[in-house]
Amino acid sequence: MTVQSAQHTGRSSGYTNCVLSVRIGGAVGSCAVEPGQIEPGTVHELVGQRVAELLEHEDPAVRVAVLDAYLAALVPHAEHPESHAVRIPAGTSLAKSMARARAVADLVPVPEGGSIAVIGVVNSLLAALRERGVNYVPCDLKGGRTEWDEPVLLDHREAIGGAQAVLASGMVLGNGTFDEIAGHCRERGLPLVMFAQTGSAVLRELVGTSVHALSAEPYPFFWLTGDSTDLYRYTAAGELT
């Protein structure tokens, strides 16, 4: 388990990340969870078990993390023929967060003045969309308000209603809402772009079907170090610069 809290310089609020990670061979798969969601002894109980057994685990977070690690062990992101690596330069927490956010925001195929439903609110991502002149509707199961005092919707169906594209966190895999979100996007013909620390290799398998584009960020994540880190972008067309 990795638990991290931060408040970026100049921001009025902070955040906490809690992530379950599983290592298979040379690959690490992850699934974000809510604090306290995983029992303290669960991590120890997972050690040494077979992948096939863990893919039947009662906790969906365990299943997602294990499948993520298994798929990444088969083909690491750095070796995948469709991946395009993006280096996030070394720097402060805020500088790295904004660099990642811009790399993610560039994947969303909406022109200036367009509207995006953002499911899984990350203030740096909203800031990057604001830089692009894109309108967004923030949505998160935690609710609340954004850094710019905008209300955060609780219902993703409401957020998607007037959008031209959807940008969603990989956490929707772990909380069980991915299928419904992807279904709404298919029904309305909306591109679904994912930014994923959770299940990045799992979502990679869906690019070109349910997922239009993906920013995959395997462990260790950008917020774990001030050194440079990498993320890997994928698109259905397979064309990125």
PDB file of all heavy atoms in Angstrom, residues 102-133:
ATOM      1  N   ARG A 102      -0.930  18.540 -18.679  1.00  0.00           N
ATOM      2  CA  ARG A 102      -0.916  19.016 -20.069  1.00  0.00           C
ATOM      3  C   ARG A 102      -0.793  17.850 -21.046  1.00  0.00           C
ATOM      4  O   ARG A 102      -1.418  17.855 -22.120  1.00  0.00           O
ATOM      5  CB  ARG A 102       0.218  20.018 -20.260  1.00  0.00           C
ATOM      6  CG  ARG A 102       0.008  21.324 -19.483  1.00  0.00           C
ATOM      7  CD  ARG A 102       1.116  22.331 -19.715  1.00  0.00           C
ATOM      8  NE  ARG A 102       0.882  23.548 -18.950  1.00  0.00           N
ATOM      9  CZ  ARG A 102       1.601  23.910 -17.880  1.00  0.00           C
ATOM     10  NH1 ARG A 102       2.617  23.150 -17.471  1.00  0.00           N
ATOM     11  NH2 ARG A 102       1.314  25.017 -17.221  1.00  0.00           N
ATOM     12  N   ALA A 103      -0.002  16.844 -20.685  1.00  0.00           N
ATOM     13  CA  ALA A 103       0.133  15.669 -21.551  1.00  0.00           C
ATOM     14  C   ALA A 103      -1.185  14.918 -21.663  1.00  0.00           C
ATOM     15  O   ALA A 103      -1.524  14.382 -22.722  1.00  0.00           O
ATOM     16  CB  ALA A 103       1.226  14.741 -21.008  1.00  0.00           C
ATOM     17  N   VAL A 104      -1.951  14.888 -20.578  1.00  0.00           N
ATOM     18  CA  VAL A 104      -3.259  14.224 -20.593  1.00  0.00           C
ATOM     19  C   VAL A 104      -4.278  15.058 -21.360  1.00  0.00           C
ATOM     20  O   VAL A 104      -5.016  14.546 -22.220  1.00  0.00           O
ATOM     21  CB  VAL A 104      -3.759  13.980 -19.153  1.00  0.00           C
ATOM     22  CG1 VAL A 104      -5.195  13.484 -19.155  1.00  0.00           C
ATOM     23  CG2 VAL A 104      -2.853  12.991 -18.432  1.00  0.00           C
ATOM     24  N   ALA A 105      -4.333  16.346 -21.074  1.00  0.00           N
ATOM     25  CA  ALA A 105      -5.331  17.218 -21.693  1.00  0.00           C
ATOM     26  C   ALA A 105      -5.195  17.252 -23.207  1.00  0.00           C
ATOM     27  O   ALA A 105      -6.191  17.363 -23.936  1.00  0.00           O
ATOM     28  CB  ALA A 105      -5.216  18.635 -21.121  1.00  0.00           C
ATOM     29  N   ASP A 106      -3.977  17.121 -23.710  1.00  0.00           N
ATOM     30  CA  ASP A 106      -3.748  17.155 -25.157  1.00  0.00           C
ATOM     31  C   ASP A 106      -4.376  15.974 -25.877  1.00  0.00           C
ATOM     32  O   ASP A 106      -4.553  16.007 -27.100  1.00  0.00           O
ATOM     33  CB  ASP A 106      -2.247  17.188 -25.456  1.00  0.00           C
ATOM     34  CG  ASP A 106      -1.634  18.558 -25.196  1.00  0.00           C
ATOM     35  OD1 ASP A 106      -2.398  19.521 -25.032  1.00  0.00           O
ATOM     36  OD2 ASP A 106      -0.391  18.645 -25.144  1.00  0.00           O
ATOM     37  N   LEU A 107      -4.720  14.916 -25.148  1.00  0.00           N
ATOM     38  CA  LEU A 107      -5.309  13.727 -25.762  1.00  0.00           C
ATOM     39  C   LEU A 107      -6.799  13.892 -26.066  1.00  0.00           C
ATOM     40  O   LEU A 107      -7.349  13.129 -26.862  1.00  0.00           O
ATOM     41  CB  LEU A 107      -5.141  12.511 -24.845  1.00  0.00           C
ATOM     42  CG  LEU A 107      -3.735  11.919 -24.711  1.00  0.00           C
ATOM     43  CD1 LEU A 107      -3.715  10.874 -23.610  1.00  0.00           C
ATOM     44  CD2 LEU A 107      -3.276  11.325 -26.023  1.00  0.00           C
ATOM     45  N   VAL A 108      -7.437  14.871 -25.429  1.00  0.00           N
ATOM     46  CA  VAL A 108      -8.887  15.010 -25.567  1.00  0.00           C
ATOM     47  C   VAL A 108      -9.218  15.734 -26.869  1.00  0.00           C
ATOM     48  O   VAL A 108      -8.818  16.884 -27.057  1.00  0.00           O
ATOM     49  CB  VAL A 108      -9.488  15.766 -24.368  1.00  0.00           C
ATOM     50  CG1 VAL A 108     -11.008  15.766 -24.462  1.00  0.00           C
ATOM     51  CG2 VAL A 108      -9.053  15.114 -23.057  1.00  0.00           C
ATOM     52  N   PRO A 109      -9.953  15.094 -27.779  1.00  0.00           N
ATOM     53  CA  PRO A 109     -10.214  15.676 -29.098  1.00  0.00           C
ATOM     54  C   PRO A 109     -11.387  16.656 -29.103  1.00  0.00           C
ATOM     55  O   PRO A 109     -12.408  16.442 -29.754  1.00  0.00           O
ATOM     56  CB  PRO A 109     -10.528  14.445 -29.958  1.00  0.00           C
ATOM     57  CG  PRO A 109     -11.193  13.505 -29.002  1.00  0.00           C
ATOM     58  CD  PRO A 109     -10.513  13.727 -27.668  1.00  0.00           C
ATOM     59  N   VAL A 110     -11.228  17.739 -28.361  1.00  0.00           N
ATOM     60  CA  VAL A 110     -12.260  18.775 -28.300  1.00  0.00           C
ATOM     61  C   VAL A 110     -11.604  20.117 -28.602  1.00  0.00           C
ATOM     62  O   VAL A 110     -10.576  20.450 -28.006  1.00  0.00           O
ATOM     63  CB  VAL A 110     -12.945  18.817 -26.919  1.00  0.00           C
ATOM     64  CG1 VAL A 110     -13.855  20.020 -26.793  1.00  0.00           C
ATOM     65  CG2 VAL A 110     -13.756  17.552 -26.699  1.00  0.00           C
ATOM     66  N   PRO A 111     -12.154  20.914 -29.515  1.00  0.00           N
ATOM     67  CA  PRO A 111     -11.549  22.198 -29.869  1.00  0.00           C
ATOM     68  C   PRO A 111     -11.788  23.249 -28.790  1.00  0.00           C
ATOM     69  O   PRO A 111     -12.582  23.048 -27.872  1.00  0.00           O
ATOM     70  CB  PRO A 111     -12.269  22.575 -31.166  1.00  0.00           C
ATOM     71  CG  PRO A 111     -13.614  21.934 -31.029  1.00  0.00           C
ATOM     72  CD  PRO A 111     -13.369  20.638 -30.310  1.00  0.00           C
ATOM     73  N   GLU A 112     -11.106  24.356 -28.915  1.00  0.00           N
ATOM     74  CA  GLU A 112     -11.318  25.472 -27.998  1.00  0.00           C
ATOM     75  C   GLU A 112     -12.795  25.840 -27.980  1.00  0.00           C
ATOM     76  O   GLU A 112     -13.438  25.924 -29.019  1.00  0.00           O
ATOM     77  CB  GLU A 112     -10.485  26.678 -28.433  1.00  0.00           C
ATOM     78  CG  GLU A 112     -10.579  27.864 -27.498  1.00  0.00           C
ATOM     79  CD  GLU A 112      -9.656  28.994 -27.904  1.00  0.00           C
ATOM     80  OE1 GLU A 112      -8.822  28.782 -28.804  1.00  0.00           O
ATOM     81  OE2 GLU A 112      -9.785  30.093 -27.324  1.00  0.00           O
ATOM     82  N   GLY A 113     -13.326  26.021 -26.771  1.00  0.00           N
ATOM     83  CA  GLY A 113     -14.744  26.325 -26.619  1.00  0.00           C
ATOM     84  C   GLY A 113     -15.621  25.110 -26.478  1.00  0.00           C
ATOM     85  O   GLY A 113     -16.812  25.230 -26.168  1.00  0.00           O
ATOM     86  N   GLY A 114     -15.048  23.908 -26.697  1.00  0.00           N
ATOM     87  CA  GLY A 114     -15.814  22.670 -26.541  1.00  0.00           C
ATOM     88  C   GLY A 114     -16.040  22.339 -25.075  1.00  0.00           C
ATOM     89  O   GLY A 114     -15.509  23.008 -24.180  1.00  0.00           O
ATOM     90  N   SER A 115     -16.796  21.272 -24.826  1.00  0.00           N
ATOM     91  CA  SER A 115     -17.154  20.907 -23.458  1.00  0.00           C
ATOM     92  C   SER A 115     -16.751  19.461 -23.166  1.00  0.00           C
ATOM     93  O   SER A 115     -17.007  18.559 -23.978  1.00  0.00           O
ATOM     94  CB  SER A 115     -18.660  21.072 -23.237  1.00  0.00           C
ATOM     95  OG  SER A 115     -19.015  20.701 -21.923  1.00  0.00           O
ATOM     96  N   ILE A 116     -16.122  19.259 -22.018  1.00  0.00           N
ATOM     97  CA  ILE A 116     -15.639  17.950 -21.601  1.00  0.00           C
ATOM     98  C   ILE A 116     -16.211  17.613 -20.232  1.00  0.00           C
ATOM     99  O   ILE A 116     -16.214  18.449 -19.331  1.00  0.00           O
ATOM    100  CB  ILE A 116     -14.099  17.934 -21.507  1.00  0.00           C
ATOM    101  CG1 ILE A 116     -13.463  18.261 -22.863  1.00  0.00           C
ATOM    102  CG2 ILE A 116     -13.592  16.597 -20.997  1.00  0.00           C
ATOM    103  CD1 ILE A 116     -11.969  18.460 -22.773  1.00  0.00           C
ATOM    104  N   ALA A 117     -16.681  16.384 -20.072  1.00  0.00           N
ATOM    105  CA  ALA A 117     -17.036  15.877 -18.751  1.00  0.00           C
ATOM    106  C   ALA A 117     -15.772  15.277 -18.141  1.00  0.00           C
ATOM    107  O   ALA A 117     -15.153  14.395 -18.736  1.00  0.00           O
ATOM    108  CB  ALA A 117     -18.121  14.825 -18.854  1.00  0.00           C
ATOM    109  N   VAL A 118     -15.377  15.783 -16.985  1.00  0.00           N
ATOM    110  CA  VAL A 118     -14.179  15.286 -16.305  1.00  0.00           C
ATOM    111  C   VAL A 118     -14.625  14.469 -15.103  1.00  0.00           C
ATOM    112  O   VAL A 118     -15.182  15.011 -14.138  1.00  0.00           O
ATOM    113  CB  VAL A 118     -13.264  16.440 -15.861  1.00  0.00           C
ATOM    114  CG1 VAL A 118     -12.032  15.893 -15.139  1.00  0.00           C
ATOM    115  CG2 VAL A 118     -12.849  17.284 -17.058  1.00  0.00           C
ATOM    116  N   ILE A 119     -14.403  13.167 -15.170  1.00  0.00           N
ATOM    117  CA  ILE A 119     -14.848  12.259 -14.113  1.00  0.00           C
ATOM    118  C   ILE A 119     -13.632  11.809 -13.325  1.00  0.00           C
ATOM    119  O   ILE A 119     -12.787  11.066 -13.816  1.00  0.00           O
ATOM    120  CB  ILE A 119     -15.594  11.060 -14.730  1.00  0.00           C
ATOM    121  CG1 ILE A 119     -16.795  11.561 -15.543  1.00  0.00           C
ATOM    122  CG2 ILE A 119     -16.049  10.102 -13.630  1.00  0.00           C
ATOM    123  CD1 ILE A 119     -17.511  10.483 -16.320  1.00  0.00           C
ATOM    124  N   GLY A 120     -13.566  12.274 -12.091  1.00  0.00           N
ATOM    125  CA  GLY A 120     -12.382  12.088 -11.254  1.00  0.00           C
ATOM    126  C   GLY A 120     -11.620  13.400 -11.253  1.00  0.00           C
ATOM    127  O   GLY A 120     -10.739  13.608 -12.086  1.00  0.00           O
ATOM    128  N   VAL A 121     -11.970  14.290 -10.340  1.00  0.00           N
ATOM    129  CA  VAL A 121     -11.463  15.659 -10.389  1.00  0.00           C
ATOM    130  C   VAL A 121     -10.018  15.747  -9.902  1.00  0.00           C
ATOM    131  O   VAL A 121      -9.684  15.308  -8.798  1.00  0.00           O
ATOM    132  CB  VAL A 121     -12.365  16.599  -9.555  1.00  0.00           C
ATOM    133  CG1 VAL A 121     -11.719  17.972  -9.416  1.00  0.00           C
ATOM    134  CG2 VAL A 121     -13.729  16.728 -10.216  1.00  0.00           C
ATOM    135  N   VAL A 122      -9.173  16.283 -10.767  1.00  0.00           N
ATOM    136  CA  VAL A 122      -7.786  16.618 -10.440  1.00  0.00           C
ATOM    137  C   VAL A 122      -7.611  18.074 -10.857  1.00  0.00           C
ATOM    138  O   VAL A 122      -7.725  18.405 -12.034  1.00  0.00           O
ATOM    139  CB  VAL A 122      -6.787  15.719 -11.192  1.00  0.00           C
ATOM    140  CG1 VAL A 122      -5.356  16.150 -10.890  1.00  0.00           C
ATOM    141  CG2 VAL A 122      -7.008  14.252 -10.830  1.00  0.00           C
ATOM    142  N   ASN A 123      -7.329  18.940  -9.896  1.00  0.00           N
ATOM    143  CA  ASN A 123      -7.304  20.371 -10.197  1.00  0.00           C
ATOM    144  C   ASN A 123      -6.279  20.741 -11.266  1.00  0.00           C
ATOM    145  O   ASN A 123      -6.506  21.649 -12.069  1.00  0.00           O
ATOM    146  CB  ASN A 123      -7.068  21.177  -8.915  1.00  0.00           C
ATOM    147  CG  ASN A 123      -8.334  21.301  -8.081  1.00  0.00           C
ATOM    148  OD1 ASN A 123      -9.398  21.624  -8.583  1.00  0.00           O
ATOM    149  ND2 ASN A 123      -8.218  21.025  -6.784  1.00  0.00           N
ATOM    150  N   SER A 124      -5.142  20.059 -11.300  1.00  0.00           N
ATOM    151  CA  SER A 124      -4.153  20.358 -12.341  1.00  0.00           C
ATOM    152  C   SER A 124      -4.703  20.047 -13.728  1.00  0.00           C
ATOM    153  O   SER A 124      -4.415  20.766 -14.692  1.00  0.00           O
ATOM    154  CB  SER A 124      -2.862  19.575 -12.099  1.00  0.00           C
ATOM    155  OG  SER A 124      -2.174  20.070 -10.971  1.00  0.00           O
ATOM    156  N   LEU A 125      -5.478  18.985 -13.860  1.00  0.00           N
ATOM    157  CA  LEU A 125      -6.098  18.673 -15.150  1.00  0.00           C
ATOM    158  C   LEU A 125      -7.087  19.758 -15.547  1.00  0.00           C
ATOM    159  O   LEU A 125      -7.148  20.163 -16.710  1.00  0.00           O
ATOM    160  CB  LEU A 125      -6.800  17.322 -15.092  1.00  0.00           C
ATOM    161  CG  LEU A 125      -5.932  16.086 -15.261  1.00  0.00           C
ATOM    162  CD1 LEU A 125      -6.779  14.829 -15.112  1.00  0.00           C
ATOM    163  CD2 LEU A 125      -5.229  16.092 -16.604  1.00  0.00           C
ATOM    164  N   LEU A 126      -7.851  20.224 -14.594  1.00  0.00           N
ATOM    165  CA  LEU A 126      -8.793  21.302 -14.899  1.00  0.00           C
ATOM    166  C   LEU A 126      -8.035  22.553 -15.319  1.00  0.00           C
ATOM    167  O   LEU A 126      -8.448  23.260 -16.241  1.00  0.00           O
ATOM    168  CB  LEU A 126      -9.673  21.599 -13.677  1.00  0.00           C
ATOM    169  CG  LEU A 126     -10.522  20.429 -13.149  1.00  0.00           C
ATOM    170  CD1 LEU A 126     -11.428  20.919 -12.016  1.00  0.00           C
ATOM    171  CD2 LEU A 126     -11.341  19.775 -14.249  1.00  0.00           C
ATOM    172  N   ALA A 127      -6.907  22.833 -14.650  1.00  0.00           N
ATOM    173  CA  ALA A 127      -6.092  23.999 -15.019  1.00  0.00           C
ATOM    174  C   ALA A 127      -5.565  23.857 -16.443  1.00  0.00           C
ATOM    175  O   ALA A 127      -5.542  24.836 -17.207  1.00  0.00           O
ATOM    176  CB  ALA A 127      -4.936  24.159 -14.032  1.00  0.00           C
ATOM    177  N   ALA A 128      -5.150  22.652 -16.831  1.00  0.00           N
ATOM    178  CA  ALA A 128      -4.631  22.429 -18.183  1.00  0.00           C
ATOM    179  C   ALA A 128      -5.736  22.595 -19.222  1.00  0.00           C
ATOM    180  O   ALA A 128      -5.496  23.121 -20.319  1.00  0.00           O
ATOM    181  CB  ALA A 128      -4.023  21.032 -18.278  1.00  0.00           C
ATOM    182  N   LEU A 129      -6.947  22.171 -18.897  1.00  0.00           N
ATOM    183  CA  LEU A 129      -8.078  22.352 -19.813  1.00  0.00           C
ATOM    184  C   LEU A 129      -8.436  23.832 -19.928  1.00  0.00           C
ATOM    185  O   LEU A 129      -8.770  24.319 -21.008  1.00  0.00           O
ATOM    186  CB  LEU A 129      -9.278  21.545 -19.332  1.00  0.00           C
ATOM    187  CG  LEU A 129      -9.119  20.024 -19.395  1.00  0.00           C
ATOM    188  CD1 LEU A 129     -10.303  19.332 -18.717  1.00  0.00           C
ATOM    189  CD2 LEU A 129      -8.981  19.543 -20.837  1.00  0.00           C
ATOM    190  N   ARG A 130      -8.327  24.548 -18.817  1.00  0.00           N
ATOM    191  CA  ARG A 130      -8.576  25.993 -18.854  1.00  0.00           C
ATOM    192  C   ARG A 130      -7.557  26.681 -19.758  1.00  0.00           C
ATOM    193  O   ARG A 130      -7.902  27.615 -20.504  1.00  0.00           O
ATOM    194  CB  ARG A 130      -8.521  26.571 -17.438  1.00  0.00           C
ATOM    195  CG  ARG A 130      -9.654  26.106 -16.532  1.00  0.00           C
ATOM    196  CD  ARG A 130      -9.384  26.447 -15.076  1.00  0.00           C
ATOM    197  NE  ARG A 130      -9.575  27.852 -14.807  1.00  0.00           N
ATOM    198  CZ  ARG A 130     -10.705  28.397 -14.355  1.00  0.00           C
ATOM    199  NH1 ARG A 130     -11.760  27.632 -14.120  1.00  0.00           N
ATOM    200  NH2 ARG A 130     -10.790  29.683 -14.123  1.00  0.00           N
ATOM    201  N   GLU A 131      -6.308  26.231 -19.721  1.00  0.00           N
ATOM    202  CA  GLU A 131      -5.278  26.787 -20.604  1.00  0.00           C
ATOM    203  C   GLU A 131      -5.640  26.582 -22.071  1.00  0.00           C
ATOM    204  O   GLU A 131      -5.335  27.429 -22.921  1.00  0.00           O
ATOM    205  CB  GLU A 131      -3.929  26.122 -20.323  1.00  0.00           C
ATOM    206  CG  GLU A 131      -3.273  26.535 -19.025  1.00  0.00           C
ATOM    207  CD  GLU A 131      -1.951  25.833 -18.781  1.00  0.00           C
ATOM    208  OE1 GLU A 131      -1.591  24.948 -19.576  1.00  0.00           O
ATOM    209  OE2 GLU A 131      -1.269  26.173 -17.795  1.00  0.00           O
ATOM    210  N   ARG A 132      -6.283  25.471 -22.369  1.00  0.00           N
ATOM    211  CA  ARG A 132      -6.694  25.167 -23.743  1.00  0.00           C
ATOM    212  C   ARG A 132      -7.959  25.912 -24.156  1.00  0.00           C
ATOM    213  O   ARG A 132      -8.360  25.859 -25.314  1.00  0.00           O
ATOM    214  CB  ARG A 132      -6.955  23.666 -23.900  1.00  0.00           C
ATOM    215  CG  ARG A 132      -5.723  22.803 -24.051  1.00  0.00           C
ATOM    216  CD  ARG A 132      -6.113  21.372 -24.370  1.00  0.00           C
ATOM    217  NE  ARG A 132      -7.008  21.285 -25.518  1.00  0.00           N
ATOM    218  CZ  ARG A 132      -7.626  20.165 -25.904  1.00  0.00           C
ATOM    219  NH1 ARG A 132      -7.440  19.042 -25.241  1.00  0.00           N
ATOM    220  NH2 ARG A 132      -8.425  20.169 -26.950  1.00  0.00           N
ATOM    221  N   GLY A 133      -8.598  26.597 -23.207  1.00  0.00           N
ATOM    222  CA  GLY A 133      -9.845  27.292 -23.512  1.00  0.00           C
ATOM    223  C   GLY A 133     -11.015  26.351 -23.665  1.00  0.00           C
ATOM    224  O   GLY A 133     -11.986  26.641 -24.382  1.00  0.00           O
TER     225      GLY A 133
END
